[in-house]
Amino acid sequence: MVDLSDLLTDLADESDQVDALVAPLPAADWARPTPAPGWSIAHQVAHLAWTDHVALLAATDAAAFFATVSAAPDPARLVDHGAEQFLAPPAELLARWRAGRTALAAALAAVPAGEKLPWYGTRMSATSMATARIMETWAHGEDVADALGVVRPASDRLRHVAHLGVRTLGHGFAAHGRPAPTAPVRVELTGPGGDTWSWGPADAADRLTGPARDFCLLVTQRRHRADLALLATGPVADEWLDVAQAFAGPSGAGREPSATPGGEHGVRA
């Protein structure tokens, strides 16, 4: 089992990498559009600040967390509304995000072992929440990087994103209105250092192989399957490439196939 303190260290490192992308930008560049329709770089950072905030409430004040859900003017626009609510001038927004993610890390570290935190449609441990925050931070960092036309170096932190992607196989099918498969899938991914990360029975008939970064781009819906070097063997693995979704909530719009990184389509999650 992954240690919570190690996860929080990786979350801080992932956040710092995104921070390093946006902190030097002139104010005008914060308005650059990202692959998520209607969202600028500022919206991406505001979304991370907002989700850190509601995760902090989940870890410290469940009643206040549920109040934010019931008070949402339009549940279908909860994510958009949260980002809009946290938008601010770049310096203020960056300071808000930094303070919020620091407070969240401290709160998660203090959650008693075995306690489950409320979240959208589920409950999760502090370890799972930290893993989900790594996934979100990495995914929205990809949107920022796409907007800036840069490719970030992959790190072993992707293993957390990949793990969550494997764990949410059934959720992806359910979110798209399809029955969860009963057949297991063997997943073998090549990490940034060349080592193999694997999940599932070694003798499973359905298999999914390829680069870990590509799998992470798939399950966060940052790339279409056609633009990724993932090989699916068997009907379940093949269908999974169409519905994979590591984040909570209804199915995302995903991305259309594109010859260029990021393409013209995106997803907010």
Side-chain angles (χ1 to χ4, degrees), residues 18-19 30 54 58 62 123 138 184:
V18 180
D19 194 309
W30 285 68
V54 291
R123 300 184 70 86
W138 179 81

Side-chain angles (χ1 to χ4, degrees), residues 6-268:
D6 291 338
L7 280 169
L8 294 176
T9 296
D10 283 348
L11 175 57
D13 290 344
E14 193 63 43
S15 300
D16 287 345
Q17 188 185 67
V18 180
D19 194 309
L21 281 179
V22 300
L25 295 177
D29 280 358
W30 285 68
R32 284 196 190 194
T34 67
W39 275 24
S40 65
I41 288 176
H43 283 89
Q44 298 287 348
V45 177
H47 172 74
L48 290 175
W50 171 73
T51 46
D52 284 344
H53 169 70
V54 291
L56 175 63
L57 292 180
T60 60
D61 190 340
F65 169 78
F66 286 120
T68 66
V69 178
S70 59
D74 180 0
R77 293 195 70 253
L78 181 66
V79 172
D80 292 281
H81 179 73
E84 292 162 3
Q85 184 181 17
F86 271 66
L87 281 174
E92 180 182 341
L93 175 55
L94 189 57
R96 178 180 295 173
W97 178 40
R98 288 170 175 170
R101 70 193 198 226
T102 298
L104 174 60
L108 291 178
V111 172
E115 182 173 326
K116 297 290 187 178
L117 309 178
W119 199 239
Y120 301 101
T122 187
R123 300 184 70 86
M124 61 176 69
S125 66
T127 298
S128 294
M129 181 70 81
T131 303
R133 298 309 306 135
I134 293 172
M135 179 273 293
E136 282 259 348
T137 304
W138 179 81
H140 290 282
E142 283 297 300
D143 292 336
V144 172
D146 284 347
L148 296 174
V150 300
V151 178
R152 300 185 297 166
S155 78
D156 281 347
R157 294 189 297 273
L158 286 177
R159 187 162 194 158
H160 304 307
V161 183
H163 177 73
L164 191 58
V166 172
R167 289 285 301 273
T168 53
L169 184 155
H171 166 68
F173 279 79
H176 287 78
R178 306 182 190 187
T182 56
V185 179
R186 173 69 171 183
V187 179
E188 294 182 355
L189 305 175
T190 304
D195 51 334
T196 299
W197 303 342
S198 60
W199 295 264
D203 61 350
D206 282 85
R207 308 179 71 84
L208 182 61
T209 61
R213 183 174 184 273
D214 282 20
F215 179 72
C216 293
L217 288 168
L218 178 84
V219 299
T220 57
Q221 297 189 358
R222 262 56 191 180
R223 296 290 188 276
H224 189 274
R225 61 178 292 178
D227 297 323
L228 301 171
L230 296 172
L231 177 62
T233 302
V236 173
D238 184 69
E239 187 176 3
W240 187 17
L241 294 184
D242 292 327
V243 301
Q245 178 175 321
F247 50 89
S251 61
R255 300 266 173 98
E256 295 295 328
S258 175
T260 59
E264 299 177 352
H265 302 267
V267 59
R268 296 187 291 262

